[in-house]
Amino acid sequence: MSVVEHVREMAAAGLHSNVRLLSGLLLTMSGNNPELFSPSQKYQLLVYHADSLFHDKEYRNAVSKYTMALQQKKALSKTSKVRPSTGNATSTPQSQCLPSEIEVKYKMAECYTMLKQDKDAIAILDGIPSRQRTPKINMMLANLYKKAGQERSSVTSYKEVLRQCPLALDAILGLLSLSVKGAEVASMTINIIQSIPNLDWLSVWIKAYAFVHTGDNTRAINTICSLEKKSLLRDNVDLLGSLADLYFRAGDNKNSILKFEQAQMLDPYLIKGMDVYGYLLAREGRLEDVENLGCRLFNISDQHAEPWVVSGCHSFYSKRYSRALYLGAKAIQLNSNSVQALLLKGAALRNMGRVQEAIIHFREAIRLAPCRLDCYEGLIECYLASNSIREAMVMANNVYKTLGANAQTLTLLATVCLEDPVTQEKAKTLLDKALTQRPDYIKAVVKKAELLSREQKYEDGIALLRNALANQSDCVLHRILGDFLVAVNEYQEAMDQYSIALSLDPNDQKSLEGMQKMEKEESPTDATQEEDVDDMEGSGEEGDLEGSDSEAAQWADQEQWFGMQ
């Protein structure tokens, strides 16, 4: 057995560090004495050495060695063409054990993707003739084309993957995300469904995700629920994660959190979707739970975007925007397609006053997830923050037309209309339509309450908020109800509402401010009431003044404490 064969055996056995050391020494020997190894042996040594570098994540160095290997293979091919065939049977096994040139090119493409050099990756894979492309090459090409915006080429590559592997579900999702009709995709799998038992669910699965990618959240939820209820697919983590994401997109945060919790209980090491889960918990003020979730995810893997996004959400809702910005940037570095990371970084930039930079991130999020309303909401908030009401109105109208007239799009359009005095009545009509569709939609309730507050229709606002809180509890709704109750002099109940709001989110500054304001207004009133009572009882004047001063000092201490928070 030759030394090169020993290197090959170690590579096959996964002894990468050993291969790297030995192949490095042998390549140096070959450089000093070109006659020491044959061209085919040198080609093998270069490939095995590059593979060991790839395993050590030294991608640029690996690309260099793969390139040298391909040049060596090219020279080897030319030599074999010049030399006539001797008919020697011993040459056949040697040629058979040579590393595949196509596999070398695929490894080079992997290196380029890790180095964020997608154009180079596409170029190296494009150089492989179509007939020689394996399913994994077509899959990588499809993903790269999609990322580069070359949709037609991406569709062709995904279809080629399905032609070779009709149960490649990720390729199916890729086609659906590129607006290929669900019926067309299903037709590519019909033969395999009919020939294999217990695959009847696949056509329903394709239908469900076709709804997902067209933004029809309600029908997608219903279809996935029908799948999830089937005994064979009950408690599937991927389906539960998809349901959680769909509920989130539909604005049903309560059910979204519930489904994420179910998925997490079934798979304690689940990472996918946990960034959205962390965001929802942070929005509810459950920052301790967010912190615990972030720690747990970091213990599972710090090489995914999700742990960084969750920690970023904790920082953002703790008003540490610089740290949230850093954590969002780190998440994007790990996964440039992470929509939640882009939204986190965009929101942090917006709150730091860097609106134009934030707009870039929200636009990229929209490109990656055109059916997610929160991406558009972030962009519109940036436009409104920079007083670009016209751009915000155009975007809101486009969303309304693209995603359809549902409670969320109606509320988003109404939000923009509220910024212009001319379109106040239109905003009112839109909000009424939204609340007719979904009386419990919190954002619509908040905006309608805002409108009623402007019109000083506090009794109507109180009725609206009580109705919304009948079947749910939300910090913002309780706080606004407190504000409305103050306006109609219902101070005790207002204080109760602020207390409930703070129990739901202890960091809600506006609820604290509402309580502070009430305490400032109530303290002189209380003192006056005490004096009146004392006068009726015939108490001494000196005692009255002392009691009043003592109470005022107590309220002053409390005000100082609240001011420090």
Side-chain angles (χ1 to χ4, degrees), residues 400-447:
Y400 178 78
K401 291 172 185 175
T402 306
L403 300 183
N406 55 54
Q408 292 168 283
T409 56
L410 287 163
T411 304
L412 183 60
L413 185 54
T415 302
V416 181
C417 290
L418 283 171
E419 298 296 318
D420 189 347
V422 179
T423 52
Q424 296 290 299
E425 282 301 315
K426 184 181 179 182
K428 185 177 180 181
T429 304
L430 291 166
L431 289 170
D432 287 340
K433 286 182 180 178
L435 288 169
T436 301
Q437 288 188 20
R438 279 184 61 184
D440 62 339
Y441 185 46
I442 291 174
K443 289 184 180 179
V445 175
V446 169
K447 288 300 171 184

Side-chain angles (χ1 to χ4, degrees), residues 159-431:
K159 284 183 175 179
E160 190 57 31
V161 174
L162 277 182
R163 189 187 67 78
Q164 296 168 297
C165 303
L167 291 178
L169 299 188
D170 200 32
I172 289 174
L173 293 178
L175 285 171
L176 294 173
S177 71
L178 292 168
S179 302
V180 178
K181 299 288 184 184
E184 183 183 347
V185 177
S187 68
M188 301 174 72
T189 62
I190 192 68
N191 292 332
I192 198 81
I193 291 173
Q194 292 174 348
S195 61
I196 298 177
N198 297 319
L199 274 185
D200 54 316
W201 54 267
L202 183 55
S203 57
V204 183
W205 186 91
I206 293 170
K207 182 182 177 182
Y209 285 95
F211 288 139
V212 170
H213 289 288
T214 55
D216 193 341
N217 296 324
T218 303
R219 291 167 79 182
I221 288 169
N222 292 336
T223 311
I224 291 180
C225 280
S226 71
L227 267 178
E228 210 268 329
K229 286 175 184 175
K230 289 187 176 182
S231 57
L232 291 176
L233 291 175
R234 188 179 295 126
D235 292 339
N236 177 266
V237 172
D238 289 322
L239 289 178
L240 285 170
S242 295
L243 267 179
D245 190 58
L246 284 164
Y247 280 124
F248 165 65
R249 294 188 191 192
D252 188 349
N253 294 346
K254 184 180 178 181
N255 272 319
S256 180
I257 289 173
L258 181 65
K259 292 300 176 184
F260 275 128
E261 286 172 350
Q262 287 179 14
Q264 195 178 211
M265 286 176 66
L266 289 166
D267 183 0
Y269 299 102
L270 180 65
I271 289 181
K272 185 180 178 183
M274 290 295 102
D275 48 355
V276 175
Y277 178 50
Y279 164 72
L280 289 172
L281 293 178
R283 276 196 60 176
E284 290 201 344
R286 295 166 57 181
L287 295 184
E288 188 176 345
D289 291 338
V290 177
E291 188 174 14
N292 292 335
L293 176 64
C295 292
R296 187 177 65 79
L297 292 175
F298 273 119
N299 286 333
I300 296 169
S301 170
D302 62 356
Q303 295 304 303
H304 288 77
E306 286 83 352
W308 301 90
V309 173
V310 171
S311 292
C313 288
H314 183 275
S315 297
F316 182 86
Y317 283 90
S318 302
K319 298 186 178 180
R320 292 182 291 166
Y321 301 124
S322 296
R323 180 166 174 76
L325 178 62
Y326 161 74
L327 292 166
K330 178 65 178 177
I332 293 169
Q333 187 181 358
L334 289 167
N335 181 7
S336 58
N337 290 331
S338 172
V339 174
Q340 211 61 38
L342 288 163
L343 294 177
L344 170 65
K345 190 178 176 187
L349 287 166
R350 183 191 63 224
N351 284 21
M352 292 169 71
R354 294 159 63 177
V355 177
Q356 293 306 313
E357 292 175 71
I359 286 172
I360 294 169
H361 288 77
F362 286 121
R363 282 177 176 165
E364 178 61 12
I366 289 169
R367 188 188 72 81
L368 292 170
C371 291
R372 276 187 60 169
L373 191 75
D374 52 339
C375 301
Y376 298 99
E377 287 175 337
L379 182 58
I380 287 171
E381 284 176 21
C382 286
Y383 286 143
L384 295 177
S386 56
N387 293 318
S388 303
I389 296 175
R390 185 179 177 183
E391 287 85 349
M393 187 66 77
V394 170
M395 178 59 69
N397 274 308
N398 286 340
V399 174
Y400 178 78
K401 291 172 185 175
T402 306
L403 300 183
N406 55 54
Q408 292 168 283
T409 56
L410 287 163
T411 304
L412 183 60
L413 185 54
T415 302
V416 181
C417 290
L418 283 171
E419 298 296 318
D420 189 347
V422 179
T423 52
Q424 296 290 299
E425 282 301 315
K426 184 181 179 182
K428 185 177 180 181
T429 304
L430 291 166
L431 289 170

Side-chain angles (χ1 to χ4, degrees), residues 107-120:
K107 282 286 184 67
M108 283 184 74
E110 281 191 304
C111 290
Y112 282 130
T113 56
M114 297 304 293
L115 294 167
K116 314 294 184 188
Q117 296 174 218
D118 291 348
K119 287 184 179 178
D120 293 319

